Amino acid sequence: MQDPTNPEEQPEGRKPRKRHLLLRIDSWIDSTVWNAGFRAAEIWEDITIFSRRFRARGWKRIVFELAGEAMTLGVAGTVVMLALAMPAFEATQGDWRNRGNFAVTFLDRYGNVIGHRGIIHEDSVPVDQLPDYFVKAVLATEDRRFFDHFGIDVFGLFRALTVNAQAGGVVQGGSTLTQQLAKNVFLTNERSIERKIKEAFLAIWLEANLSKKEILSLYLDRTYMGGGTFGAAAAAQYYFGKSITDVNLAEAAMLAGLFKAPTKYAPSVNLPAARARANDVLSNLVQSGFMTEGQVIAARRNPASVVDRAQSESPDFFLDWAFDEVQRLSSRFPERTLIVHTTVDMSLQKAAEDAVESSLMQYGEQYHAKQAASVLIENGGAVRAMVGGRDYGESQFNRATKALRQPGSSFKIYTYSVAMENGMTPATTIIDAPISWGNWSPHNFENRYEGKVTLLQAITQSINTIPVRLAKEHFGIQPIREMAKRFGVETPIRNDKTIPIGTSEVTVLDQATAYSVFPADGMQSRRHGIQQITGYDGKVLYDFDRDEPPPQRVLSEKALSYMNTMLINVPQNGTGRKAQLDHGILIGGKTGTTSAYRDAWFIGFSGNYTCAVWFGNDDYTSTNNMTGGMLPAMTFKKIMDYAHQGIVLKPIPGIENPFPPQKSQTVAAKKPAPPSDQPVQPPPLRPRTLSADSTKILHDLGQKLREATPLNPQKVATAG
């Protein structure tokens, strides 16, 4: 046995050398770490001793503490502001001026001109060539400190807040002209804190990237001025029949007064209100120091008059959406001066607008509902009418295409469609009882539970626990999301266990598109608002029937039959009774009501049309216990009764008896008159519409007859 302590017995001295090397390394590590720690402690002590020389005491300490906290909060606030600014600046990416490159003339389904969009640069007048008093009138009324602020007028905002607080309401706005331009170009009129934050950042961005003259020019060219016109140049031509360079002071004041509320103060609609507003603008010119009272006295005594034009209605919400569609499709061709044949039917459009307005006027205050939206789609996907809000002049925000609202029970069609595709039927029974999914426990209206019910009963009575139980116990959330997308919902659907009862926001257009699948025999509805786009040379650049792919099946025939069987029961025996149409016309549909009564929906269909109706408030305040079976269903009935006058009824697919046996397939023009002791307002009659070509032929023929030389009675007698 070798002695480990005896070096003579070690082989060649390798192990002692290796051991000594490891010991030296270990010693170096220990000493280095210890020395580093010791040195760090010395440095920290030196720093502490040095810092004590600057330690504040007494009142100075309070000042430094506050300054330190302010710096900390300032850094945190800067990070938050940058995070909020990023979504706003995304809107500036790409060619954000692209809207101005288009000059589009829109025609209705019959070929009649219904409006224009885009800026025709040849008609746009540079700021330097505008009358000086017109520019001053705009600045005096909209933004007196325009040339002094950086996009946000801090002093003007403080002044507006003070005036509003003293008045107990909003009587003066604090937005600058640059902020208004940012809203017009990049944002919508939606009233939300998020939009105001984006507006502020974008205003600063515009000031940093454009000159004051460019900002003013864009503002005067892009703002809605009433009468379907955009920009001061177009408004001057429309209201006064002259170039903007030729308007006098009275006319300039009237134009400047339109920026605040173009519909309310449009002289073609309410000339006395327009003149009163122009007088306020003249007062602003004097108060701001831009002009003297003597200079405006002539304009006060001789107010502007307008060109007498025939009353013409423009479907502005529809045109805004169609203009967006034109820009989306324009990647297929280089032309920017276009004639667009749309799908809108002006008779149906006016009926929808009147139905929404009459419902709000009659019941809006009672139900505390201030806004509404509706979309009407004909079987085949053509959008025939679109109402994006109560007053386009007051707010151009399109609530039919851009407002994201919870659909409530109207979303349940996707859950039940998945159930039908998974082998269930309307007669399948499910237990209606309290249910919990994790920490979420949905409940039924008035907390009533029916026990064992069929799916037909569940959808008819709009029971909440059944779709939740179907999703939890049978197929999960993902198939519901996929079904909604297949039906045509373009808004992203949340991946949330609460979506079976309609908590994921959608648009009115989404819901109208999806419900159009049911009368389309389970095929994609292929919703569209543009039928054809041509250049001014007549060349067809886009045609829907030619350029779009054929529809694909999204719901099997058996599932479609089951769904339609259930949905026609909702207006007959369920929550949608007020939506039933006259003359026994069969419809299917579903109501929707969200928590706290913030949103109320009815979406329904016949074999001919699908109509979606929403009521609520822009600020998401609750209505007065309004459900989808009340005002939305009643408005749906008004629109659909009008739409079905004088047309051949088409059957709802998958229904055994789609037509009442006592009714013909052609709807009568109007109902029998009611008894004389029960006066009832007659429903509006749908006029027959001639095409543009037929109208032109009759117009030319009538003109030639009026211009023809009268016959000589003696020659006529002789010839006889």
Side-chain angles (χ1 to χ4, degrees):
M1 183 174 179
Q2 293 181 343
D3 185 359
T5 62
N6 187 357
E8 295 180 357
E9 297 185 12
Q10 301 299 322
E12 302 296 330
R14 294 179 181 176
K15 291 184 178 180
R17 285 200 300 271
K18 184 177 181 180
R19 183 182 300 113
H20 295 159
L21 178 62
L22 294 175
L23 289 173
R24 283 197 296 272
I25 293 173
D26 180 67
S27 176
W28 178 83
I29 292 174
D30 289 344
S31 61
T32 301
V33 172
W34 187 88
N35 287 331
F38 181 77
R39 182 58 182 158
E42 286 184 328
I43 293 173
W44 178 252
E45 185 176 358
D46 291 341
I47 293 173
T48 303
I49 293 173
F50 180 77
S51 299
R52 286 173 182 170
R53 301 176 184 178
F54 303 97
R55 180 173 295 177
R57 292 178 174 82
W59 65 271
K60 294 182 179 180
R61 180 174 181 179
I62 298 175
V63 174
F64 282 108
E65 289 288 344
L66 292 175
E69 292 297 328
M71 292 178 64
T72 302
L73 294 175
V75 172
T78 302
V79 173
V80 172
M81 294 293 281
L82 288 174
L84 293 173
M86 290 177 64
F89 292 150
E90 289 177 358
T92 64
Q93 296 178 0
D95 186 11
W96 59 270
R97 301 188 195 217
N98 194 43
R99 288 179 68 93
N101 293 334
F102 288 86
V104 183
T105 298
F106 288 99
L107 312 179
D108 67 6
R109 66 178 298 193
Y110 301 109
N112 304 299
V113 176
I114 55 174
H116 305 270
R117 286 295 185 271
I119 302 298
I120 303 177
H121 291 290
E122 289 75 12
D123 293 340
S124 180
V125 179
V127 174
D128 293 337
Q129 298 179 22
L130 294 174
D132 180 65
Y133 45 75
F134 171 67
V135 176
K136 288 180 177 178
V138 173
L139 296 180
T141 304
E142 297 299 318
D143 191 354
R144 297 180 187 179
R145 290 172 42 82
F146 173 67
F147 289 100
D148 298 324
H149 61 66
F150 56 91
I152 300 175
D153 187 0
V154 178
F155 296 103
L157 181 61
F158 179 76
R159 181 183 65 251
L161 291 174
T162 303
V163 173
N164 292 337
Q166 293 174 347
V170 180
V171 296
Q172 189 175 111
S175 295
T176 64
L177 188 148
T178 312
Q179 287 177 272
Q180 295 177 51
L181 176 62
K183 179 184 67 176
N184 292 339
V185 174
F186 300 111
L187 305 172
T188 68
N189 282 48
E190 182 180 14
R191 297 178 180 178
S192 65
I193 296 177
E194 180 183 3
R195 198 267 292 170
K196 292 297 292 183
I197 293 174
K198 288 182 179 180
E199 179 185 289
F201 280 116
L202 289 170
I204 296 173
W205 184 88
L206 287 171
E207 292 278 351
N209 288 272
L210 301 177
S211 66
K212 288 288 187 178
K213 184 184 294 185
E214 289 176 313
I215 293 173
L216 182 58
S217 178
L218 284 171
Y219 178 76
L220 295 177
D221 277 346
R222 302 287 179 102
T223 305
Y224 181 67
M225 303 287 283
T229 63
F230 284 81
Q237 193 65 46
Y238 179 80
Y239 292 120
F240 307 122
K242 62 175 68 174
S243 170
I244 183 67
T245 59
D246 297 329
V247 297
N248 57 38
L249 178 57
E251 293 165 343
M254 189 171 287
L255 289 175
L258 292 173
F259 290 95
K260 179 179 181 180
T263 300
K264 180 179 179 181
Y265 297 119
S268 59
V269 177
N270 191 339
L271 185 58
R275 286 176 170 173
R277 175 64 176 164
N279 195 56
D280 292 338
V281 173
L282 295 174
S283 298
N284 292 335
L285 278 168
V286 176
Q287 293 172 3
S288 62
F290 291 155
M291 299 185 77
T292 65
E293 185 63 40
Q295 290 174 306
V296 304
I297 190 65
R300 292 189 192 274
R301 291 178 175 177
N302 301 284
S305 298
V306 297
V307 175
D308 185 16
R309 296 187 182 274
Q311 184 67 24
S312 60
E313 299 290 339
S314 179
D316 289 307
F317 287 114
F318 175 87
L319 292 181
D320 285 349
W321 172 66
F323 189 39
D324 291 337
E325 291 293 291
V326 169
Q327 295 177 87
R328 179 180 63 83
L329 295 169
S330 65
S331 60
R332 309 184 186 191
F333 43 81
E335 288 83 348
R336 291 295 181 267
T337 303
L338 308 168
I339 297 176
V340 177
H341 299 257
T342 71
T343 60
V344 71
D345 185 315
M346 289 305 297
S347 173
L348 296 175
Q349 174 70 28
K350 188 172 189 310
E353 292 173 353
D354 290 346
V356 168
E357 178 60 22
S358 64
S359 294
L360 284 170
M361 287 184 64
Q362 189 171 2
Y363 299 106
E365 185 175 352
Q366 173 185 340
Y367 286 112
H368 185 59
K370 297 180 180 179
Q371 280 295 349
S374 179
V375 173
L376 181 69
I377 300 179
E378 189 170 0
N379 192 358
V383 177
R384 297 303 186 199
M386 176 181 290
V387 182
R390 188 171 189 175
D391 187 342
Y392 184 82
E394 179 181 341
S395 169
Q396 291 89 55
F397 178 61
N398 194 334
R399 294 155 190 84
T401 63
K402 295 181 179 179
L404 298 178
R405 310 293 300 216
Q406 289 188 350
S409 295
S410 68
F411 194 87
K412 293 175 182 176
I413 60 164
Y414 312 116
T415 304
Y416 284 107
S417 294
V418 173
M420 298 302 107
E421 292 285 21
N422 279 270
M424 298 183 185
T425 72
T428 300
T429 58
I430 301 289
I431 300 298
D432 173 28
I435 184 174
S436 294
W437 196 343
N439 58 357
W440 178 52
S441 300
H443 57 83
N444 294 333
F445 184 69
E446 295 182 347
N447 290 315
R448 295 176 55 184
Y449 300 94
E450 303 292 336
K452 184 180 290 187
V453 297
T454 64
L455 294 186
L456 176 62
Q457 292 174 285
I459 195 171
T460 301
Q461 300 175 25
S462 199
I463 298 174
N464 285 335
T465 62
I466 300 303
V468 176
R469 194 175 299 277
L470 289 171
K472 178 184 178 183
E473 299 178 357
H474 294 275
F475 40 75
I477 296 300
Q478 188 58 29
I480 302 174
R481 301 175 69 226
E482 294 173 355
M483 183 64 72
K485 288 299 179 184
R486 287 166 55 187
F487 271 47
V489 176
E490 296 182 355
T491 306
I493 304 298
R494 295 204 311 260
N495 189 12
D496 192 304
K497 59 193 173 187
T498 65
I499 68 169
I501 59 173
T503 59
S504 186
E505 294 83 358
V506 294
T507 66
V508 177
L509 185 59
D510 280 336
Q511 290 296 79
T513 302
Y515 275 71
S516 297
V517 168
F518 299 119
D521 202 21
M523 309 293 284
Q524 290 173 327
S525 64
R526 297 207 302 168
R527 172 206 77 208
H528 61 284
I530 296 174
Q531 189 64 41
Q532 191 178 77
I533 301 176
T534 64
Y536 271 80
D537 58 359
K539 179 183 177 181
V540 177
L541 305 173
Y542 167 83
D543 187 275
F544 177 81
D545 296 327
R546 180 193 70 188
D547 298 327
E548 297 298 333
Q552 303 294 319
R553 178 165 293 280
V554 296
L555 197 61
S556 68
E557 293 183 7
K558 181 179 290 187
L560 172 75
S561 177
Y562 289 154
M563 285 300 299
N564 283 346
T565 299
M566 293 195 298
L567 289 173
I568 66 171
N569 199 47
V570 175
Q572 292 177 351
N573 304 303
T575 56
R577 291 184 178 91
K578 293 182 183 295
Q580 294 184 68
L581 305 188
D582 296 334
H583 308 291
I585 301 174
L586 193 64
I587 63 167
K590 186 71 187 74
T591 57
T593 309
T594 63
S595 60
Y597 298 98
R598 290 188 178 91
D599 303 275
W601 300 71
F602 187 86
I603 307 102
F605 57 90
S606 66
N608 299 77
Y609 293 100
T610 300
C611 182
V613 180
W614 166 86
F615 279 83
N617 295 301
D618 285 342
D619 57 4
Y620 294 91
T621 55
S622 299
T623 64
N624 186 18
N625 298 332
M626 181 171 63
T627 65
M630 295 177 179
L631 203 52
M634 295 160 59
T635 306
F636 169 90
K637 172 180 168 56
K638 293 179 184 179
I639 298 172
M640 293 286 273
D641 273 339
Y642 183 91
H644 285 80
Q645 292 181 25
I647 65 173
V648 176
L649 295 181
K650 297 178 181 178
I652 295 177
I655 304 300
E656 294 183 0
N657 184 22
F659 301 112
Q662 73 277 14
K663 300 291 182 182
S664 66
Q665 293 189 18
T666 301
V667 182
K670 60 180 180 179
K671 297 189 295 184
S676 57
D677 59 340
Q678 297 179 359
V680 177
Q681 183 70 26
L685 298 181
R686 182 175 178 180
R688 297 192 178 276
T689 308
L690 292 174
S691 68
D693 292 338
S694 300
T695 303
K696 185 177 186 303
I697 291 173
L698 292 175
H699 180 273
D700 292 343
L701 181 60
Q703 185 66 25
K704 290 179 180 179
L705 289 174
R706 285 190 294 270
E707 296 174 354
T709 303
L711 295 175
N712 190 320
Q714 294 181 352
K715 291 183 178 181
V716 173
T718 302

